[in-house]
Amino acid sequence: MSYLSELRAALGTRPLFSVGASAAVQDERQRVLLQRRGDDGLWGLPGGGLELGETFEGAACRELNEETGLDTPLTFWQAVSGPHLYHRYPNGDQVYFVGGLCRGHLPAAALAQAAPDDSGETLELAWFDLAHLPTISANVNKQTLSLLRSEVGLPPLPLDWVPPKPTGEHLRELRAVVGPRPLFAPGANVLLRDEQGRVLLLRSGDMRRWTLPGGSMELGETFEQAARRELKEEAGLEVSELRALKLYIGPAYRFTYPHGDVVDYVSQLFEGQFMGGALTLPADEITEAAWFAPDQLPNAEELSGPLIGANLREWI
């Protein structure tokens, strides 16, 4: 049973994050490979949900093979998130996609060797010119195709209506039902620098270790919205601009909290410039804040896990 299917067995059709990967494969004429889906009969990109421990590239290659029988190297392109990526499947299941878009190329003639698996997910496969697309399924496919269309000067595809953004603490609400089992935790961290090039670190109240401002995404948020909200909640600070640095995902970033909850982080790191203001720390969550010069960072044992270690090691 897949990761998402296991959650559905406990949680029903309620909105969940669907951490997924799409394969944007183009031929020598820049046509895009689309599949006609078995669930709604409409067209979309090959792709699907990640299993715990997978990367976006690995999942995109697996889904491409399962849904088309074809193989080609795929490279990570960009992440997508936000309220417009809500989708309700014909069976009633609701998701907010958090997607990793991957790209690759195949010759047009490769389609003759296509052999989708027998799951029924793929009814038909075809190459389509970006200017002449069929009826597309789900906003996540429309956004991806719009990004491709923008590269050749074509307008974006109109998106479907989306419902109001839900409220509540998504991860906490899931834990109340499924317990400490491993869960994907989409979220964001902020590498905030001051004029001297120092970086802001916060000491967490639960583990007493140093971490970056950041945390889990709520349903309907973008990565950037989550980063801004967490920076405000944890440090009382705002920034005018955030620059995306890298998306971290994969088995290296699994983390077990002291109370036993296990998460597989899907974490976008942003960089921002400190604009002044007083630090305001939530007493129940953050016990201390400090600015660290690049040559005075805490050692690995003082950091709250491999994700924060990688953030600092790669960007400081």
Side-chain angles (χ1 to χ4, degrees):
M1 185 179 290
S2 71
Y3 168 81
L4 204 54
S5 296
E6 291 178 356
L7 291 185
R8 287 292 178 207
L11 297 160
T13 62
R14 62 173 290 175
L16 300 172
F17 279 120
S18 177
V19 180
S22 297
V25 178
Q26 293 177 278
D27 70 2
E28 58 270 26
R29 294 166 51 189
Q30 298 305 301
R31 295 181 302 176
V32 63
L33 179 63
L34 298 181
Q35 62 165 166
R36 191 161 67 85
R37 300 175 53 86
D39 56 1
D40 61 11
L42 305 180
W43 293 83
L45 296 157
L50 269 68
E51 298 302 325
L52 292 166
E54 280 191 307
T55 63
F56 284 127
E57 298 95 327
C61 286
R62 173 179 55 77
E63 290 286 343
L64 178 67
N65 179 264
E66 291 173 0
E67 296 177 352
T68 72
L70 301 174
D71 294 291
T72 190
L74 298 172
T75 57
F76 179 76
W77 177 22
Q78 59 182 286
V80 293
S81 57
H84 59 291
L85 297 188
Y86 170 86
H87 184 67
R88 185 185 183 98
Y89 288 97
N91 66 359
D93 290 351
Q94 300 172 76
V95 297
Y96 283 85
F97 288 111
V98 175
L101 311 182
C102 300
R103 299 185 74 166
H105 292 85
L106 280 170
L111 194 56
Q113 281 73 51
D117 65 18
D118 59 2
S119 66
E121 289 186 80
T122 302
L123 301 179
E124 187 179 354
L125 292 165
W127 295 106
F128 287 92
D129 189 286
L130 289 168
H132 301 95
L133 294 171
T135 304
I136 301 300
S137 171
N139 281 352
V140 65
N141 289 305
K142 294 177 182 179
Q143 180 173 351
T144 306
L145 291 166
S146 292
L147 292 169
L148 293 174
R149 283 164 61 92
S150 70
E151 294 179 346
V152 293
L154 292 170
L157 300 176
L159 300 179
D160 295 328
W161 174 86
V162 295
K165 187 174 76 172
T167 59
E169 297 187 36
H170 179 65
L171 197 56
R172 187 188 302 273
E173 292 169 359
L174 289 192
R175 288 293 182 202
V177 179
V178 304
R181 61 150 292 166
L183 292 174
F184 280 119
N189 290 325
V190 181
L191 196 67
L192 190 67
R193 302 181 195 269
D194 67 6
E195 292 182 350
Q196 302 173 52
R198 299 178 302 175
V199 63
L200 177 65
L201 296 182
L202 309 175
R203 191 186 292 275
S204 63
D206 54 356
M207 294 183 294
R208 310 293 180 184
R209 295 183 181 181
W210 292 102
T211 187
L212 291 167
S216 295
M217 183 188 298
E218 298 298 343
L219 291 172
E221 282 188 316
T222 64
F223 283 111
E224 182 171 341
Q225 288 170 338
R228 291 183 181 277
R229 175 179 52 76
E230 290 287 345
L231 183 61
K232 181 67 173 178
E233 291 176 358
E234 295 186 342
L237 299 175
E238 298 180 3
V239 293
S240 60
E241 182 179 354
L242 285 174
R243 182 171 70 93
L245 297 179
K246 181 178 177 180
L247 183 65
Y248 290 81
I249 186 173
Y253 308 113
R254 171 167 287 193
F255 185 74
T256 301
Y257 284 91
H259 48 66
D261 290 352
V262 182
V263 295
D264 275 25
Y265 284 119
V266 182
S267 181
Q268 177 68 62
L269 179 64
F270 291 92
E271 181 181 51
Q273 184 66 41
F274 177 57
M275 300 172 61
L279 291 171
T280 305
L281 308 181
D284 60 339
E285 186 176 354
I286 304 298
T287 62
E288 186 181 356
W291 295 92
F292 289 85
D295 60 351
Q296 297 177 336
L297 291 171
N299 59 45
E301 292 72 25
E302 297 177 282
L303 300 176
S304 61
L307 173 64
I308 301 302
N311 291 164
L312 296 174
R313 183 173 61 254
E314 296 177 14
W315 298 99
I316 297 297

